[in-house]
Amino acid sequence: MDEDGLKMLVKLTQDGDLSSMKNHMQTCGLMEAARDKHFGRSGDTLIHYAARHGHLDILEFIIKEVGTDMEVYNNDYKRPLHEAASMGHQACVSYLLQEGAKVDSLKKADWTPLMMACTRRNLDMIRELMEHSADPFLRNKDGWNAFHIACREGDPLVVRYLLEVAPDVWTSESKTRRTPLHTAAMHGREEVVGILLERCDYNPDHKDSCGVTPFMDAVRNGHISLARLLLEKHQASPTAADILGVQPVHQVAITGQDQALRFLVRELHVDVNQRATGSQLTSLHYAAKEGHVSTIKTLLDLGADLHVRDKKGRTALHMASIGQHAEAARTLLQLGLEDSQDASGTMARQLAKKSNIMQVFNYI
């Protein structure tokens, strides 16, 4: 079979040039290939290309005249309906549904066309899928349903619509026990969080399998106004701990959210030297371990104690040395010079030597 001819057939399909595509097929005798051929590593067929690029006339031609099965799938088990829904091509979605495409077909990782549509802020397309009996309660391999995905994307119209047509859809949890509220909080979808707090009966401090609450998700990602909303409207706890005993004040140090640190310590009066119950690490330990220099400075400005030790006897200086974070170690030494002279400093020097950042100590 002529490879150049096949490449041109794919190109004309992707470009949406129906007239040239028809002529090329007839001239080169490619009708059978147009119907059945899977191309490249993806295993796409022409109907996949047409649906993905939103070429309704070519889609109709391939189904009606070429005779391609609309349920044909590629190597990811995507059907044409998945392609059209994921790219937001509503006309193609409408046509495929009218022609009888299976509305809840599953691609790899068990994603449905409705889930794909929820990655787009297109209420009309989602409504059409639902009117063709799409099931919003189906879950993908991670345990997410379409509502989780809608909450991640953050379109309040879509979220309200799904709650209207499927009032219990909010109750679903992922395989790691994360709720749609966790998802919306993590991604900073404040308006959606407001809807969820208004319409859904979530436990204020519902924990996922790692012990993380929606408030933790919000604050460690720097979504402070959303965190305030969870405090004011949901009575979330600013000091709840995950399964390792790590609190929000520690988590924001890990992610380097300086403004969130100020919010927790100055506005909510969280103890800046609070220890994680398992490791006895403080926020300063965590910031040093991650090498967040600005966060170290913020913590010291908020009253963090340089000399606090974890259960293994390590200070923040040790953590910076272990992590080979030269600038963090330099900052800690400059702000607490006495540490370089005592037993703590000796231990840190030994760790630094092993970590190839000894030059930091030599210049202090």
Side-chain angles (χ1 to χ4, degrees):
M1 191 174 291
D2 182 7
E3 289 299 322
D4 290 337
L6 290 173
K7 289 180 181 178
M8 179 56 68
L9 182 62
V10 169
K11 184 179 186 303
L12 292 171
T13 302
Q14 292 174 324
D15 291 346
D17 190 343
L18 178 58
S19 177
S20 297
M21 176 192 169
K22 286 182 178 179
N23 291 335
H24 182 69
M25 285 173 54
Q26 293 168 357
T27 302
C28 299
L30 295 176
M31 179 65 78
E32 184 177 347
R35 183 182 66 244
D36 301 325
K37 175 72 174 173
H38 291 258
F39 298 89
R41 293 181 179 178
S42 64
D44 288 326
T45 65
L46 293 188
I47 195 174
H48 287 93
Y49 293 124
R52 184 181 303 146
H53 291 275
H55 301 314
L56 178 58
D57 55 348
I58 293 182
L59 187 65
E60 185 174 4
F61 168 73
I62 292 172
I63 292 172
K64 294 293 187 182
E65 298 187 39
V66 177
T68 300
D69 181 359
M70 74 178 73
E71 296 302 329
V72 66
Y73 53 83
N74 65 11
N75 292 342
D76 285 332
Y77 298 99
K78 281 185 180 179
R79 276 71 169 175
L81 186 58
H82 286 104
E83 297 285 3
S86 67
M87 299 306 293
H89 299 309
Q90 187 174 349
C92 291
V93 167
S94 298
Y95 175 74
L96 289 165
L97 290 172
Q98 290 165 10
E99 291 299 311
K102 295 178 182 177
V103 72
D104 283 329
S105 56
L106 301 180
K107 79 170 190 71
K108 187 176 286 188
D110 295 339
W111 280 62
T112 66
L114 179 61
M115 293 175 192
M116 306 294 281
C118 284
T119 66
R120 299 278 173 173
R121 300 169 71 93
N122 188 330
L123 177 58
D124 290 337
M125 184 167 64
I126 291 167
R127 181 182 284 115
E128 185 157 10
L129 286 162
M130 290 293 295
E131 289 173 352
H132 280 81
S133 301
D135 187 350
F137 292 93
L138 290 177
R139 304 199 302 166
N140 65 19
K141 74 174 184 64
D142 296 316
W144 283 31
N145 63 16
F147 192 65
H148 275 91
I149 297 162
C151 289
R152 181 190 69 186
E153 298 305 316
D155 187 331
L157 294 177
V158 171
V159 170
R160 288 188 184 278
Y161 170 73
L162 289 174
L163 285 171
E164 287 170 6
V165 297
D168 294 329
V169 73
W170 64 272
T171 60
S172 180
E173 295 180 1
S174 74
K175 288 186 176 179
T176 55
R177 298 200 61 224
R178 292 180 63 76
T179 66
L181 182 59
H182 282 90
T183 302
M186 182 176 74
H187 290 276
R189 308 305 188 189
E190 188 168 346
E191 190 170 356
V192 168
V193 168
I195 295 169
L196 297 179
L197 297 184
E198 171 191 328
R199 300 280 296 273
C200 311
D201 190 25
Y202 287 113
N203 183 307
D205 294 311
H206 180 97
K207 295 184 177 184
D208 68 11
S209 59
C210 293
V212 174
T213 68
F215 178 84
M216 293 177 190
D217 269 327
V219 76
R220 70 181 178 180
N221 285 285
H223 307 309
I224 295 174
S225 61
L226 196 158
R228 285 196 181 97
L229 179 64
L230 289 166
L231 290 169
E232 295 169 4
K233 301 295 184 181
H234 212 213
Q235 290 74 55
S237 170
T239 56
D242 67 15
I243 60 174
L244 297 177
V246 176
Q247 296 184 13
V249 72
H250 306 122
Q251 293 169 335
V252 297
I254 294 169
T255 56
Q257 295 291 343
D258 297 357
Q259 188 177 353
L261 272 170
R262 296 187 185 96
F263 164 64
L264 289 169
V265 176
R266 288 181 175 165
E267 293 189 35
L268 303 184
H269 307 295
V270 174
D271 181 4
V272 73
N273 292 309
Q274 178 67 44
R275 296 168 180 265
T277 54
S279 62
Q280 294 295 296
L281 295 170
T282 67
S283 295
L284 190 59
H285 283 95
Y286 285 113
K289 183 179 179 182
E290 299 298 326
H292 297 317
V293 175
S294 67
T295 305
I296 289 170
K297 293 178 179 178
T298 298
L299 284 163
L300 293 174
D301 182 57
L302 292 170
D305 188 344
L306 277 165
H307 310 294
V308 173
R309 298 170 185 270
D310 69 1
K311 68 178 183 180
K312 295 182 179 180
R314 300 172 300 184
T315 66
L317 181 58
H318 302 137
M319 305 305 289
S321 300
I322 292 169
Q324 301 189 44
H325 299 302
E327 189 59 32
R330 182 180 291 112
T331 299
L332 288 163
L333 285 166
Q334 289 172 339
L335 295 173
L337 288 175
E338 64 275 18
D339 266 359
S340 65
Q341 307 300 325
D342 64 13
S344 172
T346 299
M347 182 179 174
R349 285 172 180 272
Q350 292 171 347
L351 292 168
K353 189 173 183 179
K354 294 179 181 179
S355 306
N356 299 317
I357 63 167
M358 191 63 195
Q359 67 273 17
V360 173
F361 288 80
N362 294 336
Y363 287 99
I364 294 296

